[in-house]
Amino acid sequence: MALLTIENLSLGYEGREILKGVSFRVNAGDYLCIVGENGSGKTTLMKAILGLRPPLGGAILPGDGLKRSEIGYLPQQTEAQRDFPATAWEVVTSGLLNRGGWRPFLTKEEKKIARGALATLGVADLEKRCYRELSGGQQQRVLLARALCATRRLLLLDEPVAGLDPGAAGEMYDLVDKLHASGITIIMITHDLDAVLPRATHVLHVGEDVFFGDVREYMESGRVSRFGRGEEA
Amino acid sequence: MTWFFETLGSYFAYPFVRYATVAVILIALCASLLGVPLVLKRFSFIGDGLSHVAFGAMAVAAVLNTAEKTFFPELFEKIGQTPLVLLLTMAAAILLLRTGQNTKIKGDAVVAMISVGALAFGYLLLHLFPTSSNITGDVCSTLFGSTSILTLTRADVVFSAVMALLVAIVFLFFYRKIFSVTFDEDFSRATGTRAGAYNLLIAVVTAVVIVMAMNLVGSLLISALVVFPALSAMRIFKSFRAVTICAAVLSVAAAAVGILISLLAVTPTGATIVAVDGIVFLLFSLAGLIRGGTRA
Ligand SMILES: Nc1ncnc2c1ncn2[C@@H]1O[C@H](COP(=O)(O)OP(=O)(O)OP(=O)(O)O)[C@@H](O)[C@H]1O
Ligand SMILES: [Mg+2]
């Protein structure tokens, strides 16, 4: 059964449509990458899937008993204000809240998960640092660690490698592969087709004409040369 | 020095001075706890707007109470006017939060409209239906607080203490959720935290704190009590937990010092506490500058 079914979805701001007639399915175990030009509506689509923006029309149907509290999310940018006092640790552990429970304090188990996530992203030593004083790439890793803490079945990533150095980007992709192999469903927005296409199972191309299919169909559709490589040039 | 202790001793011999001191410190504690998320969410102005609404509510309550006093004197004896004011202010808080979110008029404009409107309406009401011969005095003490905390009744103190305890418990219990919703509302909503419910909680608690603090510092000075400790703490500390704890400690200390000064120097309590809070803010800003300077 599909984890997510999107039916004839249209999205927009204040009545202005930016996407319409989008339909696709995500099954458990898929690795879907969403591509398209800047401003084509990828982020908007992801926010609609997460229930942050109401759709103008159509439907987003979770299936297979998927609950909001089983989803991890890495936003494209966080509007964390310049003067917000928070340590990396506080940010990462906020990803654990959806595990339920009414305790005001972290359990041993939860601390272990958070430490693990920080270590996985190679930022264990930043734990006590102030979030707003980290570099852009370090902030991105901390937010990824937070997403890891929240993920149990589905992980949505909005341009996860933006701001990471090439080495870190490679590690990031390997990490997502590992999560995917462990049974977590991945939806990733990316402009980095060269790196992601060999790893993904499905592609959604948003824009003037919407394409959805598996990676092989996408390669054969001829869009890769038109969009993917073309954009980098 | 002996004069100092003798004067204080003679004041604290009265039970109502002790009650009032306890109430003031509890209120300061709540206001500072609440201040941290409000300042960080850029909602400082909501506290200010609500305090004006509370002033209007007070006027409405005063007028209604005149009627109530005439027709149901026993009922008035029992509950006083605070619950009615609280109810009206809570309604306004929820309204402000809702309209701030999804109307065409910008949030701050809505607050400005409602707060100035409530202020004018309240003043008008007090003039049309004077509740006592000294309107200017009444208005002044509603805006700037009772000139002396000694006018707080025992019922006021008990009510404040209970409310303060509730606010503190709510805060401790929901501390991490409040952090999450304040830091990144989208993320917490996306991953299953009911951010709307927590925003509502913050609005309701704000209303409670403001109505409690109104007897003490008056509606014009409440924002200071809410905002100053949080801002001071943020000059120095860089984690949410440290800022919360520091704001609470600062606020309690400033309230205690302010009360002592106001008893000794016979100054208005609310204004004195706010002045102490202001001085603390200046000191902390200075300390923050020096620290930042040496590190950079
Ligand atoms: N809050 C908003 N209000 C009004 N219009 C918006 C808002 N956010 C985005 N838009 C518009 O919606 C369109 C899609 O934006 P979106 O952020 O979804 O693009 P994107 O595909 O994620 O682009 P990018 O590759 O740059 O991240 C853009 O034309 C943008 O101008
Ligand atoms: Mg985007």
Side-chain angles (χ1 to χ4, degrees):
Chain A
M1 197 188 160
L3 212 51
L4 271 178
T5 310
I6 312 295
E7 275 171 8
N8 200 20
L9 185 71
S10 44
L11 296 171
Y13 292 92
E14 274 121 40
R16 189 172 56 90
E17 243 175 24
I18 56 171
L19 265 185
K20 67 164 182 256
V22 182
S23 299
F24 62 95
R25 270 161 178 270
V26 181
N27 291 310
D30 281 359
Y31 185 151
L32 171 68
C33 82
I34 303 179
V35 298
E37 291 163 32
N38 290 135
S40 53
K42 305 181 294 298
T43 298
T44 311
L45 173 64
M46 191 169 270
K47 286 192 171 166
I49 292 174
L50 289 165
L52 300 175
R53 284 207 65 82
L56 295 180
I60 301 166
L61 307 164
D64 219 0
L66 179 69
K67 290 197 288 280
R68 202 169 280 295
S69 55
E70 295 168 323
I71 299 177
Y73 170 48
L74 173 77
Q76 186 169 18
Q77 319 118 333
T78 319
E79 297 130 36
Q81 310 107 357
R82 267 186 20 255
D83 54 351
F84 201 107
T87 58
W89 177 255
E90 286 176 322
V91 173
V92 170
T93 52
S94 72
L96 293 164
L97 283 173
N98 61 0
R99 289 180 191 247
W102 290 99
R103 294 170 309 273
F105 302 108
L106 291 170
T107 62
K108 268 214 184 82
E109 186 66 23
E110 288 176 323
K111 283 184 187 161
K112 226 172 86 193
I113 297 172
R115 293 239 154 75
L118 280 163
T120 308
L121 284 147
V123 283
D125 52 327
L126 303 181
E127 192 182 300
K128 296 207 169 62
R129 290 276 301 278
C130 175
Y131 175 78
R132 66 170 191 263
E133 290 174 356
L134 300 177
S135 79
Q138 289 171 330
Q139 288 185 354
Q140 183 80 346
R141 292 177 189 221
V142 169
L143 291 185
L144 261 166
R146 177 181 69 167
L148 282 194
C149 284
T151 306
R152 275 173 295 174
R153 287 178 72 185
L154 175 62
L155 176 59
L156 290 97
L157 303 161
D158 197 340
E159 303 197 18
V161 299
L164 296 186
D165 57 65
E171 281 170 28
M172 164 70 217
Y173 288 131
D174 291 342
L175 170 66
V176 175
D177 275 355
K178 232 192 285 167
L179 291 171
H180 181 222
S182 76
I184 288 173
T185 308
I186 311 281
I187 301 180
M188 182 196 285
I189 295 177
T190 185
H191 293 294
D192 190 6
L193 275 181
D194 287 336
V196 177
L197 274 191
R199 303 163 187 261
T201 62
H202 292 76
V203 178
L204 175 72
H205 187 138
V206 295
E208 283 297 292
D209 51 341
V210 176
F211 170 91
F212 175 73
D214 64 29
V215 172
R216 196 179 41 81
E217 287 165 348
Y218 185 66
M219 302 283 227
E220 284 165 5
S221 75
R223 285 160 198 264
V224 183
S225 52
R226 227 173 67 208
F227 166 73
R229 310 256 150 74
E231 198 194 51
E232 248 112 277
Chain B
M1 210 54 188
T2 42
W3 165 81
F4 179 86
F5 285 112
E6 267 168 23
T7 323
L8 280 188
S10 69
Y11 274 117
F12 280 98
Y14 296 104
F16 53 87
V17 176
R18 294 198 296 266
Y19 288 145
T21 307
V22 170
V24 167
I25 288 179
L26 287 174
I27 289 168
L29 174 71
C30 293
S32 63
L33 286 178
L34 184 69
V36 178
L38 283 186
V39 166
L40 290 173
K41 268 175 145 333
R42 299 287 182 267
F43 275 177
S44 316
F45 58 85
I46 284 200
D48 197 47
L50 274 184
S51 61
H52 296 176
V53 170
F55 171 78
M58 198 97 133
V60 172
V63 171
L64 288 181
N65 278 332
T66 321
E68 195 185 320
K69 238 189 276 188
T70 338
F71 299 112
F72 311 98
E74 297 97 30
L75 188 66
F76 181 75
E77 270 305 303
K78 265 201 212 102
I79 61 171
Q81 69 172 24
T82 314
L84 186 58
V85 177
L86 186 60
L87 226 59
L88 289 176
T89 312
M90 271 187 192
I94 294 168
L95 198 78
L96 276 183
L97 204 89
R98 289 256 165 270
T99 49
Q101 271 167 356
N102 44 27
T103 49
K104 291 266 185 298
I105 313 175
K106 273 261 165 284
D108 56 342
V110 172
V111 175
M113 246 165 49
I114 293 187
S115 75
V116 179
L119 210 57
F121 181 69
Y123 191 50
L124 199 64
L125 264 186
L126 285 183
H127 259 274
L128 290 179
F129 306 97
T131 45
S132 76
S133 50
N134 179 14
I135 299 175
T136 324
D138 280 356
V139 170
C140 189
S141 76
T142 321
L143 288 179
F144 296 104
S146 318
T147 38
S148 145
I149 47 169
L150 310 185
T151 56
L152 288 179
T153 64
R154 206 196 141 138
D156 282 334
V157 172
V158 171
F159 180 74
S160 304
V162 170
M163 283 302 178
L165 212 63
L166 276 180
V167 169
I169 289 172
V170 162
F171 221 86
L172 189 72
F173 221 57
F174 295 113
Y175 165 77
R176 290 179 56 220
K177 304 241 177 189
I178 290 173
F179 168 78
S180 174
V181 170
T182 315
F183 180 74
D184 187 346
E185 190 168 327
D186 269 4
F187 176 84
S188 34
R189 273 208 289 159
T191 56
T193 301
R194 277 174 317 202
Y198 289 96
N199 282 333
L200 201 68
L201 181 76
I202 290 178
V204 168
V205 171
T206 310
V208 171
V209 169
I210 279 173
V211 170
M212 283 183 345
M214 191 132 109
N215 291 328
L216 161 69
V217 292
S219 55
L220 285 184
L221 300 181
I222 289 172
S223 310
L225 218 54
V226 170
V227 168
F228 267 127
L231 286 178
S232 304
M234 280 164 60
R235 294 307 109 183
I236 301 257
F237 291 102
K238 288 172 179 174
S239 82
F240 191 76
R241 187 165 67 171
V243 166
T244 306
I245 294 172
C246 174
V249 171
L250 282 184
S251 185
V252 166
V257 171
I259 290 176
L260 292 190
I261 294 178
S262 79
L263 285 177
L264 289 174
V266 202
T267 49
T269 317
T272 312
I273 294 176
V274 171
V276 174
D277 271 320
I279 292 170
V280 169
F281 174 74
L282 285 181
L283 290 178
F284 270 62
S285 300
L286 215 65
L289 273 183
I290 293 169
R291 247 175 72 159
T294 50
R295 208 187 307 145

